[in-house]
Amino acid sequence: MRTITLLLLLVISPLFSSAIDKKIESKNRQLKSKNIEYNKMDKRLSKVAKKIIDAKAERSKLNKKLSSLEENIKRNQNKFEKLSSQKKALDVELSKLSRDIEEKKDKFISLVAEKFSMSLVLEELDKPTSESIIMQEAYGVYAKANDKEIKKLKEDIEALKLKERDYLDEEAEIKSAISSYRKERVEYKEKRAKKTKLIKELARDKAIYKKRFDRIRESKRSLQKKLAKLKIVKQEEQEYKKERSRAEPSRSSTHSPKGVETASYEGGKTISPMSGSRLIKKFG
């Protein structure tokens, strides 16, 4: 029975060792393949993460640019409103000066009609009187002063009109700047919307890759554990072989027959006792 057991062990042990080796080899191949998958997915995750960081940085720049554009638009709108208010005040002043000129003209005409008409008629008829001469001189002085005032008012009006043209030019520039800023704002908002969409898409890809990466990592860890167990079994099997190989020589020496000294019987023949008989006399 012991021989049979030893024979079975001798037959089974190589088969068991071969199966373990095959399993270890298979798991190593699987682990190698899984490591390749793991590294590929890790690179994909890294690339996606970098793209997200870059896209967010670009979106941040776009946000700063949009904030700057909003400030420019607001500043120019305030400037335009202030300028419009100044222009409105200027228009009021121009209207007033124009009215002043008309009033002075009307007043001069009324005064001439009332005070100086007779003296002018007498002057025309070459029949001046001392009174008409005085009136004529007063008329000349008044007419000159009135013309001077009207001229000054007209000069003021021209200065205001020149200032009004400057306001109009500045208003046109501000309107153009606001229009340009608004157009630029639309473009940057579109760019920001595209970046935001890209970030969402990249975040979705990252989530998908992360799930795959986690599955691959878990599979890799499982393979590593299985491979570790197989290596332990392999090591135990090798240790068993070593112990068995050391035990075989000692067993052989224990069970082998030792040399025994024997002596032959030289006396006469004897008969072995029969069943139920008893010894009466000792032989020889």
Side-chain angles (χ1 to χ4, degrees):
M1 183 67 181
R2 185 175 183 81
T3 304
I4 294 170
T5 304
L6 288 171
L7 286 171
L8 286 171
L9 286 171
L10 289 170
V11 172
I12 294 170
S13 181
L15 293 174
F16 179 74
S17 179
S18 176
I20 292 293
D21 289 339
K22 285 181 180 178
K23 284 184 179 180
I24 289 173
E25 186 181 351
S26 174
K27 295 301 178 187
N28 274 325
R29 283 198 303 270
Q30 291 176 34
L31 186 59
K32 185 179 179 181
S33 175
K34 200 59 67 176
N35 279 330
I36 292 170
E37 288 183 53
Y38 180 90
N39 292 332
K40 282 183 179 179
M41 196 55 63
D42 185 52
K43 285 180 181 178
R44 282 187 182 179
L45 273 172
S46 297
K47 285 181 180 178
V48 169
K50 188 178 182 305
K51 285 181 180 178
I52 290 172
I53 291 169
D54 292 343
K56 284 184 176 179
E58 289 173 10
R59 188 176 64 177
S60 179
K61 288 179 182 177
L62 291 172
N63 283 331
K64 287 179 181 178
K65 181 64 177 178
L66 282 167
S67 296
S68 176
L69 287 170
E70 291 291 349
E71 288 174 5
N72 289 336
I73 290 169
K74 188 176 180 179
R75 185 176 63 253
N76 278 275
Q77 283 177 334
N78 292 336
K79 191 176 179 181
F80 183 83
E81 288 172 5
K82 184 179 179 180
L83 196 66
S84 296
S85 178
Q86 290 173 341
K87 183 177 172 297
K88 193 179 288 185
L90 187 144
D91 289 340
V92 170
E93 193 174 352
L94 277 171
S95 297
K96 182 178 179 301
L97 288 174
S98 296
R99 286 196 304 271
D100 288 347
I101 289 173
E102 292 302 319
E103 285 175 3
K104 283 188 178 295
K105 284 180 180 179
D106 291 341
K107 186 177 179 181
F108 180 74
I109 290 168
S110 297
L111 187 64
V112 168
E114 182 182 348
K115 300 289 184 182
F116 304 117
S117 58
M118 184 56 67
S119 63
L120 290 172
V121 169
L122 291 172
E123 182 70 23
E124 290 292 328
L125 294 173
D126 292 328
K127 294 180 180 181
T129 62
S130 58
E131 187 178 352
S132 67
I133 291 170
I134 292 170
M135 292 296 293
Q136 182 65 28
E137 289 177 356
Y139 169 78
V141 172
Y142 185 78
K144 186 181 285 187
N146 191 63
D147 288 344
K148 187 177 180 180
E149 287 181 5
I150 290 173
K151 183 180 179 182
K152 176 67 171 61
L153 289 172
K154 285 181 177 179
E155 287 175 354
D156 291 344
I157 287 172
E158 285 302 317
L160 289 176
K161 284 183 176 179
L162 183 62
K163 196 171 184 179
E164 185 182 39
R165 283 195 293 272
D166 290 340
Y167 281 160
L168 290 171
D169 290 342
E170 195 171 353
E171 275 186 347
E173 287 179 8
I174 293 170
K175 280 183 179 179
S176 176
I178 291 172
S179 176
S180 177
Y181 288 141
R182 284 175 174 168
K183 184 180 178 182
E184 200 173 356
R185 181 176 63 182
V186 170
E187 292 174 358
Y188 276 93
K189 280 185 175 181
E190 288 176 355
K191 289 179 181 179
R192 184 177 65 179
K194 288 179 180 178
K195 287 295 175 187
T196 300
K197 184 181 177 183
L198 176 63
I199 289 167
K200 287 181 180 178
E201 290 173 353
L202 288 170
R204 183 193 60 202
D205 291 345
K206 183 182 176 183
I208 293 170
Y209 292 155
K210 183 69 170 59
K211 285 181 180 179
R212 291 178 184 173
F213 180 80
D214 289 342
R215 284 198 299 267
I216 292 168
R217 183 174 58 188
E218 288 304 314
S219 178
K220 178 183 171 182
R221 286 176 179 173
S222 177
L223 281 170
Q224 286 172 334
K225 287 178 182 178
K226 289 177 181 178
L227 186 59
K229 287 179 180 179
L230 286 169
K231 286 181 178 179
I232 290 170
V233 173
K234 175 69 175 176
Q235 186 179 356
E236 288 176 349
E237 189 264 343
Q238 287 175 343
E239 288 175 357
Y240 169 76
K241 280 183 177 180
K242 288 178 182 179
E243 289 177 4
R244 192 183 64 186
S245 63
R246 286 196 298 267
E248 285 298 325
S250 61
R251 285 178 182 175
S252 299
S253 60
T254 302
H255 293 286
S256 63
K258 294 181 180 179
V260 179
E261 293 182 359
T262 58
S264 59
Y265 177 70
E266 296 179 353
K269 290 184 179 180
T270 60
I271 299 172
S272 61
M274 300 289 290
S275 178
S277 63
R278 60 188 181 88
L279 184 63
I280 297 174
K281 185 181 179 180
K282 294 182 181 179
F283 290 92

